[in-house]
Amino acid sequence: MNDLNFRAPKGTRDILWPDSARHQFLTEVFAEVVSEAGYTQVITPMFEHVEVFQRLGGATDVVRKEMYDFQDKGGRHLALRPEQTASVVRAFNEHRPAIPWKAWYTGPNFRYERSQKGRFRQFSQVGIEVLGVEDPYLDVEVMALAWRFYERLGLRQVKLELNSLGSKEDRNKFIDALQQHFTQSLSELSEESQKTLEVNPLRVLDSNREQDAHLISAAPSMLDFLSEDSEEHFTQVQEGLNSLNIPFSVNPKLVRGLDYYIRTAFEFISESFDAAQNAIGGGGRYDGLVEDLGGPSTPGVGFAIGTDRTLLACDAEKTFQMPEAAIEVFVVDVTGGMEALKLTTELRNAGFKTDRAWDNRSMKAQMKLADRSGALFAIIVGEEEVASDTVILRDLRESTGQSKITRETIQEDLRKRLR
Ligand code: HAM
């Protein structure tokens, strides 16, 4: 058999320690930030009936080209989730929790994209969604929470880009104007953008091909198509951000890759790496989606942050580095292994992160493993220690630090030194 079959599929990765610990720690920091603001966790299935995601917009790449959909053995047409907003809205409609419903989530998503640095076919997100509130200051709260999260990670080079896509009617007028603008000079557009224009005129604005640049810069601006209400909403959002001293820039070309947005749309860009994949988070308002998925008319707003990309930004800014050592104490037992069995159990029950060696290795081999484990202390047990009910406690960071202590005081001793 071809040994390629034994590698992780294209666009997926194994995440080993210490990266796995950073992923987990990042989620914990996120949970802390949003719990402080009253959000509770929702866990939805990783796959749904394909129709749930088709509501994201038949013209979007996410739905048209990138969906991992399949038939299960019962003949159901299902899809692995490409994002979680649609799932959260589906769950809202199914359970009708009291509004405002403020939910946060984490977990993997799947998109059949061209994989490259920072762009995977399985990637993880953390995010929030709020259902049932129209208030523009909620849009501000939502962005402020993402901002606070980045700050807690120690990121400093994050830029917030903001736009308003207006109401559905405003947006349709804008799309018509765009269509007209690009169609007038169709032959000047790149071939790819001509195809995009046919299915999704808004996304032409996303093209970064040089050939398209001048037509894009001369294109009509969304901001000129905002109705009075939408403009008022947008102004309040900006005033709210200003009042919290959150810096942002208005980018009228920001259209996002999903179709459900109305009014507020935003993206967080990391300036610390210049990959094409520097959007580390994004979101906005999606007031029509609950209805589109069969629920009562209910406004919604939220964002999702890409865990993998955010960690890349942390690498680039040299922040949120290594997690603390996984192991605090390593038990070295040269009497056969039973003492280590008892001691590790005792210490773990008392809350110390404890490991040991196996297979009755030599003292030297066990000490090597203790060093490699990153443990701060070794507890060494030989025949003499068993006979005298003692152990040797060695500070692995200092080659000289070693003392004989009674078995009874191990925990107390460790606590004093570790905590
Ligand atoms: P999105 O912009 O498609 O929005 O994704 C949000 C974030 O997920 C991106 O900014 C990026 O960091 C990360 N991401 C997306 N695709 C990939 C990929 N292939 N590989 C690595 N990271 C990726 C949404 O998903 C919306 N559900 C956000 C939202 C929530 N809007 C309202 N509520």
Side-chain angles (χ1 to χ4, degrees):
M1 197 183 264
N2 184 339
D3 67 356
L4 273 180
N5 291 331
F6 298 115
R7 305 183 81 99
K10 194 168 174 185
T12 72
R13 300 151 308 147
D14 304 307
I15 303 173
L16 276 61
W17 192 86
D19 284 332
S20 52
R22 287 175 90 205
H23 274 256
Q24 193 188 342
F25 190 27
L26 180 142
T27 309
E28 284 165 16
V29 173
F30 185 76
E32 201 176 276
V33 170
V34 293
S35 307
E36 285 165 8
Y39 290 72
T40 54
Q41 189 178 9
V42 59
I43 303 174
T44 60
M46 272 188 231
F47 55 86
E48 300 269 355
H49 293 286
V50 73
E51 292 79 8
V52 172
F53 301 123
Q54 278 164 348
R55 296 295 183 279
L56 302 178
T60 62
D61 283 355
V62 171
V63 173
R64 249 171 15 105
K65 302 186 190 159
E66 298 169 0
M67 201 113 83
Y68 276 94
D69 62 323
F70 58 96
Q71 266 200 349
D72 76 1
K73 293 186 200 313
R76 295 171 196 88
H77 191 179
L78 303 170
L80 299 184
R81 65 181 179 209
E83 59 110 59
Q84 297 181 54
T85 310
S87 304
V88 171
V89 169
R90 197 268 310 136
F92 173 79
N93 286 344
E94 199 164 322
H95 305 284
R96 298 287 174 86
I99 54 170
W101 189 43
K102 298 165 63 168
W104 73 269
Y105 53 83
T106 180
N109 311 281
F110 309 86
R111 295 183 194 176
Y112 191 78
E113 295 203 74
R114 226 170 332 131
S115 52
Q116 51 184 276
K117 187 178 179 201
R119 185 192 282 175
F120 307 102
R121 290 182 176 173
Q122 176 176 330
F123 61 95
S124 185
Q125 288 180 338
V126 290
I128 59 175
E129 310 294 346
V130 186
L131 292 164
V133 180
E134 260 176 279
D135 196 328
Y137 293 143
L138 174 64
D139 306 28
V140 178
E141 166 175 309
V142 161
M143 286 184 267
L145 285 172
W147 190 258
R148 185 166 322 142
F149 169 63
Y150 292 131
E151 273 182 352
R152 284 229 188 141
L153 295 180
L155 288 172
R156 294 288 172 268
Q157 297 175 49
V158 179
K159 236 179 74 186
L160 169 58
E161 291 196 350
L162 180 69
N163 193 15
S164 173
L165 298 174
S167 65
K168 231 176 201 155
E169 297 76 49
D170 303 342
R171 202 159 68 146
N172 285 341
K173 281 188 208 149
F174 176 54
I175 291 174
D176 286 346
L178 274 183
Q179 185 115 40
Q180 211 173 358
H181 167 77
F182 288 122
T183 310
Q184 266 166 7
S185 324
L186 195 62
S187 58
E188 291 169 45
L189 267 188
S190 66
E191 226 172 273
E192 292 84 349
S193 289
Q194 290 186 27
K195 278 190 210 140
T196 310
L197 184 63
E198 274 172 35
V199 281
N200 196 344
L202 276 180
R203 297 294 289 180
V204 176
L205 297 178
D206 264 354
S207 158
N208 40 25
R209 286 178 200 89
E210 217 169 286
Q211 189 184 341
D212 300 328
H214 79 281
L215 271 187
I216 289 177
S217 70
S221 167
M222 180 65 231
L223 300 181
D224 295 331
F225 290 80
L226 296 182
S227 61
E228 224 170 273
D229 278 357
S230 300
E231 208 168 306
E232 169 70 17
H233 192 276
F234 193 36
T235 305
Q236 278 181 278
V237 169
Q238 296 179 62
E239 283 169 358
L241 286 169
N242 284 331
S243 78
L244 296 182
N245 296 318
I246 296 177
F248 64 93
S249 54
V250 173
N251 174 3
K253 301 236 154 44
L254 178 73
V255 290
R256 311 270 303 126
L258 300 152
D259 260 4
Y260 48 60
Y261 294 106
I262 69 133
R263 295 191 167 161
T264 311
F266 56 88
E267 230 157 54
F268 292 96
I269 307 291
S270 168
E271 295 184 295
S272 59
F273 56 100
D274 57 10
Q277 271 54 52
N278 61 1
I280 53 175
R285 199 163 254 290
Y286 47 87
D287 291 354
L289 188 62
V290 177
E291 261 175 301
D292 279 352
L293 282 163
S297 167
T298 310
V301 58
F303 66 72
I305 287 173
T307 308
D308 315 82
R309 278 187 204 172
T310 300
L311 286 175
L312 282 176
C314 290
D315 289 341
E317 288 199 37
K318 299 198 169 40
T319 177
F320 199 64
Q321 296 275 293
M322 288 280 287
E324 55 185 276
I327 287 296
E328 294 170 323
V329 189
F330 198 95
V331 178
V332 171
D333 172 8
V334 286
T335 70
M338 176 73 92
E339 293 306 318
L341 190 65
K342 289 191 285 187
L343 270 170
T344 49
T345 307
E346 240 172 76
L347 290 172
R348 287 169 190 164
N349 285 344
F352 296 101
K353 295 173 184 159
T354 312
D355 205 356
R356 57 165 295 181
W358 299 98
D359 294 336
N360 204 13
R361 316 273 293 264
S362 71
M363 168 88 170
K364 198 171 153 209
Q366 291 195 45
M367 286 311 297
K368 234 186 195 166
L369 287 171
D371 274 332
R372 208 214 282 160
S373 76
L376 305 173
F377 292 95
I379 286 182
I380 305 165
V381 196
E383 298 296 352
E384 200 187 306
E385 285 73 34
V386 175
S388 58
D389 228 4
T390 57
V391 296
I392 292 167
L393 179 64
R394 184 182 289 181
D395 188 333
L396 293 172
R397 291 163 303 183
E398 294 172 33
S399 47
T400 49
Q402 169 163 323
S403 51
K404 200 169 227 183
I405 58 174
T406 64
R407 224 162 142 140
E408 251 172 29
T409 61
I410 296 177
Q411 292 184 22
E412 197 186 311
D413 234 289
L414 279 173
R415 209 160 278 131
K416 248 188 270 156
R417 289 162 200 248
L418 278 167
R419 312 275 189 236

